[in-house]
Amino acid sequence: MNECYQPIKGKIERIIDETPNIKTFVIRPQTPIKFLAGQFIELTLPGVGEAPFTPSSSPHVEDTLEVTIMRAGVVTNLLHATTVGATVGIRGPFGKSYPMDKFFGKEIQLIGGGVGMAPLRSLLLALMAEVNKFKRVVLKYGAKTPADIVYKGQFKEWRKMKGLEISSCVDSAKLCDNWDDKVGVVTCLLEDSVKEKEDKSSTIAVVCGPPIMMKFATLKLLEQNHKPENIYLSMEKNMSCGLGKCGHCAVGQYFVCKDGPVFTYAQLKDHPELWT
Amino acid sequence: MSSKNKFISRKDLTEFLEALSVENNIFHLTDLLEYVKFEKEVDSRPAIDAIRSTIPLKAFFVNHGEKLEHSGDSREKANSCEGAVTKAYGHQTANIIFGVKACDLKAKIIMDEIYLKGVCSDPFYEFNNDNTIIFSSDCPYPSDTCFCNVVGGKPYAESKDYLFDLNFSAMEKGCMVDIGTEKGDKIIASNARFFRDATSQETALREQIRKNAVVKLEDINSAYAGLKNLKLESVLKEKFDSLAWKEFSQTCVQCGGCNNACPSCYCFYLDENIEDKASDELAPKTRLWDACHYTSYGRVAGGANSRPHLYERFRNRYECKFNYRKENFGIYACTGCGRCVSVCPGKIDIRQVLVKLAGEK
Ligand SMILES: Cc1cc2nc3c(=O)[nH]c(=O)nc-3n(C[C@H](O)[C@H](O)[C@H](O)COP(=O)(O)OP(=O)(O)OC[C@H]3O[C@@H](n4cnc5c(N)ncnc54)[C@H](O)[C@@H]3O)c2cc1C
Ligand code: SF4
Ligand code: SF4
Ligand code: FES
């Protein structure tokens, strides 16, 4: 019998405070879990509930797995209250990953907002493992304030990496923050690409963040002549089973959990409930 | 497999059921539109010519409140679910469901697509499916809420369209029986003493009864006949933004009755067992039926919702039935059983909504 509804056990090995409301949990599953960047898991807090998260760690690491979680409600609040050593349950991985083979030889732009950086970190680590295979890798990340930026320590290391360009922006910064990058909503990250006046027809753009950010980023990308089939979105819908059975995640004919969560804008653009 | 139609007399039918009930649980339709367990020596009266049961066929396959316990004696576990129509069905060979209607068989095509196919099969549904024998039966007396004919169906099942093991067409002196599967064929073969070949008069009589039922349906649904020639998926696509959805949903109280009563509504959610809080063991999930009319259905992080307004959730059921699932599986997920019409406290009739929607400019 396939045990698709039964979580396997995992232990929380380390908890990293990222921002006032985001933590990264390092989890060691009882048996290693192999996943691809962009796929997601269902994480159970025993006796509380289950919620979907995208691993933020490298897909090349199998014996532990990291999830970066923002406090947003019942399950996530109580996850934040757990301590090292706590038991959690894991089902998955589920869904379609980013299609790496379609990215080879191209310029890749990763555009993240807030906790939407989680799947992008996993993808970034996968891309950096084969960095020579891409024309250029650019990471554009936005958060509310400098304090809300995730993976602060790692950004410093990434800025030193060869083959990776990073720009970041915050909605607002105080003088004491010592912020020396851009200030403005996330689309301001995309402004400089206009100035470059480059041909964007083969550039891959991968967007992940709150729905409103994804909407405006996508509109901006289209304005800059990015092709709908080269814009990748990670959709967030209510999910329960992860297997295309329980119905919750349906957007038109798609079940986000099995046909996504990674979609191209071309696949979804005609659906009236896309941004809701 | 025998392609000949068989005949069984009224008296033999009771004996046939008695014989089968030694090794199987038989649930038969009654004129109260319930499925009742057939017991020898109890005066249970199958009324297989009644219309569809109040509770849809899916209740035998996807149990509300079922603990999804994978390990151990899966057989017994899958059977011992509270809240199912069947309750525990013990160590019997199979569940025989007697009196399944064509509308429910069509809905089962959708259920099978969702639960048996895709990324993986649902092991609990698959188990129930493997251990269920379906005896369908014709509807000579469609009711006011029936409209299978409007959405491409018929008030009886033929093996070229639907999967049944045996189909029974009730007539005055007994039933004509069609064989749909090997399983059904074997059942007839091992109970051959109750059956004989149907005569040509009986075959002709059945055709007449079936025709009369179709005529009756046409009559009941004369006001909705126009829907038959429409591509409802196109209507639903084009009228997605119609303001009329607000008007249609005015009397909806979001009870979810239409979703629960619908034979093709497959939605559920996995519930956590609260008593396992703080335990180090991971309890199995519990499956609860869900309904897209509920506000909680589309909730996402921080109280956001993919369908915050009632009219959007109300619209979703129509889009799901006639547009989205049609695109997935090539058939409407609405089969015209009319349960949502009977159940709705807001007196909303899906046929009227469709006619008005199609007429919207
Ligand atoms: C594919 C996918 C990947 C995700 N990855 C991440 C990630 O890496 N990091 C992160 O912080 N967040 C991620 N999320 C969002 C995260 O799942 C929600 O924040 C979380 O479900 C909220 O649960 P809660 O109980 O704390 O919230 P509440 O609002 O209290 O939830 C109440 C109920 O609503 C339902 N619900 C609420 N939000 C969601 C949701 N988004 N999906 C499904 N059900 C929901 C739940 O069933 C729950 O029972 C992801 C969501 C999806 C769909
Ligand atoms: S989405 Fe709604 S209409 Fe569609 S199957 Fe689920 S409950 Fe039924
Ligand atoms: S049965 Fe009627 S009132 Fe109840 S949710 Fe359905 S449409 Fe609304
Ligand atoms: S999460 Fe259940 S169908 Fe997608």
Side-chain angles (χ1 to χ4, degrees):
Chain A
M1 201 188 222
N2 82 60
E3 305 208 340
C4 55
Y5 296 122
Q6 185 61 38
I8 64 161
K9 263 195 205 178
K11 279 244 175 297
I12 298 182
E13 217 169 64
R14 206 153 75 87
I15 301 174
I16 304 154
D17 285 314
E18 301 282 359
T19 77
N21 65 354
I22 300 175
K23 290 184 182 184
T24 294
F25 298 80
V26 182
I27 300 167
R28 184 174 294 273
Q30 216 162 32
T31 45
I33 292 180
K34 222 179 148 68
F35 70 93
L36 297 166
Q39 286 189 301
F40 71 98
I41 58 159
E42 283 281 349
L43 190 69
T44 295
L45 190 56
V48 178
E50 205 180 29
F53 302 100
T54 335
S56 59
S57 47
S58 165
H60 298 290
V61 180
E62 281 174 29
D63 48 349
T64 59
L65 170 133
E66 295 178 27
V67 280
T68 302
I69 298 177
M70 183 173 79
R71 274 201 340 239
V74 180
V75 174
T76 48
N77 278 335
L78 286 165
L79 271 168
H80 271 241
T82 56
T83 47
V84 168
T87 299
V88 290
I90 302 160
R91 293 192 299 123
F94 300 119
K96 299 231 181 341
S97 60
Y98 295 108
M100 294 281 279
D101 50 335
K102 289 197 184 148
F103 293 0
F104 292 140
K106 296 182 183 149
E107 171 179 333
I108 319 293
Q109 293 196 4
L110 309 182
I111 302 153
V115 76
M117 187 59 214
L120 295 187
R121 180 173 76 162
S122 179
L123 175 61
L124 181 71
L125 295 171
L127 294 172
M128 295 323 282
E130 315 181 77
V131 69
N132 296 333
K133 292 195 179 155
F134 309 98
K135 198 164 129 195
R136 194 175 163 213
V137 180
V138 185
L139 170 62
K140 302 183 172 187
Y141 177 66
K144 276 204 184 101
T145 70
D148 293 308
I149 288 181
V150 291
Y151 314 133
K152 292 186 191 75
Q154 280 149 46
F155 265 96
K156 275 185 209 129
E157 288 168 36
W158 293 340
R159 283 184 196 277
K160 288 180 221 150
M161 272 188 185
K162 262 184 83 172
L164 175 63
E165 296 155 49
I166 298 183
S167 64
S168 54
C169 102
V170 292
D171 295 354
S172 64
K174 292 199 254 351
L175 218 54
C176 56
D177 287 333
N178 284 327
W179 180 251
D180 51 14
D181 216 333
K182 298 186 186 62
V183 177
V185 287
V186 80
T187 44
C188 81
L189 284 171
L190 300 171
E191 295 296 352
D192 50 348
S193 344
V194 180
K195 285 174 215 142
E196 291 165 19
K197 289 252 183 318
E198 270 176 56
D199 173 22
K200 295 292 177 200
S201 63
S202 70
T203 302
I204 302 288
V206 184
V207 189
C208 189
I212 187 86
M213 170 264 172
M214 294 218 287
K215 177 177 176 176
F216 286 106
T218 303
L219 295 177
K220 190 93 206 164
L221 288 165
L222 291 168
E223 211 177 272
Q224 295 175 1
N225 297 322
H226 284 260
K227 281 199 175 148
E229 60 271 30
N230 288 336
I231 302 176
Y232 289 84
L233 306 172
S234 293
M235 297 303 292
E236 187 185 331
K237 291 285 160 191
N238 181 309
M239 289 188 181
S240 183
C241 70
L243 297 159
K245 316 243 175 259
C246 79
H248 287 90
C249 64
V251 177
Q253 80 273 31
Y254 295 117
F255 291 82
V256 172
C257 67
K258 78 173 171 72
D259 302 317
V262 175
F263 287 98
T264 65
Y265 177 68
Q267 282 176 287
L268 297 175
K269 66 181 188 341
D270 294 329
H271 198 273
E273 287 179 341
L274 167 60
W275 301 119
T276 57
Chain B
M1 206 162 79
S2 167
S3 61
K4 269 233 152 102
N5 291 319
K6 299 285 170 189
F7 192 90
I8 185 167
S9 74
R10 293 224 154 211
K11 183 178 135 297
D12 282 346
L13 181 61
T14 308
E15 287 184 26
F16 171 58
L17 294 180
E18 280 178 11
L20 286 178
S21 70
V22 174
E23 287 188 355
N24 306 281
N25 294 297
I26 302 174
F27 296 92
H28 67 76
L29 188 62
T30 70
D31 47 20
L32 294 176
L33 308 185
E34 294 168 326
Y35 281 112
V36 167
K37 187 155 184 237
F38 176 87
E39 307 271 13
K40 208 174 156 180
E41 278 136 28
V42 172
D43 187 25
S44 66
R45 287 166 196 269
I48 58 161
D49 52 2
I51 61 161
R52 85 291 182 281
S53 57
T54 301
I55 290 171
L57 179 67
K58 70 180 179 189
F60 284 98
F61 296 88
V62 189
N63 306 141
H64 178 71
E66 171 179 26
K67 247 193 178 185
L68 302 178
E69 221 160 341
H70 289 278
S71 53
D73 181 351
S74 58
R75 175 70 204 273
E76 220 179 312
K77 297 273 170 55
N79 287 342
S80 62
C81 39
E82 290 293 322
V85 179
T86 54
K87 286 284 169 64
Y89 55 79
H91 287 282
Q92 298 287 67
T93 308
N95 265 358
I96 295 176
I97 310 176
F98 189 23
V100 177
K101 301 292 151 171
C103 49
D104 275 8
L105 289 181
K106 185 172 177 187
K108 192 167 178 295
I109 297 175
I110 300 284
M111 296 300 270
D112 287 355
E113 286 285 349
I114 294 282
Y115 282 100
L116 295 177
K117 300 182 190 169
V119 207
C120 67
S121 104
D122 179 296
F124 301 90
Y125 183 98
E126 189 181 343
F127 176 85
N128 289 336
N129 195 45
D130 288 347
N131 293 290
T132 300
I133 293 168
I134 290 182
F135 290 0
S136 53
S137 61
D138 296 6
C139 298
Y141 316 112
S143 103
D144 288 351
T145 53
C146 296
F147 63 99
C148 52
N149 63 321
V150 176
V151 287
K154 283 181 275 192
Y156 51 86
E158 292 178 293
S159 58
K160 65 178 169 54
D161 302 321
Y162 304 126
L163 203 65
F164 53 75
D165 294 296
L166 294 176
N167 182 72
F168 292 73
S169 311
M171 305 199 296
E172 200 188 340
K173 297 207 164 67
C175 293
M176 217 169 107
V177 183
D178 291 20
I179 301 166
T181 60
E182 291 290 340
K183 233 190 231 175
D185 201 29
K186 278 199 189 120
I187 293 173
I188 298 264
S190 50
N191 292 278
R193 62 190 184 283
F194 301 123
F195 296 88
R196 60 167 170 77
D197 288 346
T199 63
S200 54
Q201 287 97 316
E202 282 157 354
T203 310
L205 181 58
R206 181 182 62 180
E207 283 325 297
Q208 195 52 51
I209 296 173
R210 285 182 164 181
K211 265 199 195 118
N212 292 347
V214 172
V215 169
K216 182 149 190 240
L217 268 171
E218 300 288 345
D219 204 34
I220 292 168
N221 291 294
S222 56
Y224 317 112
L227 294 173
K228 283 199 212 172
N229 308 318
L230 292 177
K231 280 184 141 216
L232 292 172
E233 62 273 36
S234 308
V235 174
L236 269 295
K237 266 190 201 106
E238 282 156 24
K239 308 289 166 67
F240 187 92
D241 289 320
S242 168
L243 295 175
W245 287 112
K246 285 193 180 146
E247 177 203 321
F248 299 150
S249 57
Q250 237 161 24
T251 57
C252 172
V253 296
Q254 313 181 52
C255 64
C258 48
N259 298 124
N260 285 330
C262 178
S264 75
C265 271
Y266 45 81
C267 289
F268 67 89
Y269 81 97
L270 297 174
D271 197 28
E272 193 69 11
N273 291 300
I274 303 299
E275 68 266 28
D276 300 312
K277 202 165 187 157
S279 141
D280 232 21
E281 289 314 307
L282 293 171
K285 308 281 177 206
T286 300
R287 190 200 317 263
L288 299 175
W289 286 6
D290 206 354
C292 61
H293 278 83
Y294 298 154
T295 330
S296 56
Y297 182 95
R299 268 198 64 187
V300 290
N305 200 313
S306 48
R307 295 179 204 103
H309 302 106
L310 165 61
Y311 80 90
E312 295 165 324
R313 298 193 289 279
F314 180 89
R315 175 178 62 195
N316 184 63
R317 183 165 66 99
Y318 290 79
E319 295 286 345
C320 176
K321 299 296 167 202
F322 297 103
N323 178 9
Y324 306 150
R325 299 299 82 81
K326 172 86 197 307
E327 181 143 356
N328 289 139
F329 308 127
I331 55 169
Y332 296 140
C334 171
T335 68
C337 75
R339 287 181 179 96
C340 58
V341 182
S342 316
V343 85
C344 183
K347 300 211 171 357
I348 298 167
D349 188 320
I350 187 168
R351 297 168 292 190
Q352 287 166 12
V353 170
L354 290 172
V355 166
K356 282 190 206 158
L357 185 71
E360 278 290 310
K361 290 284 170 304

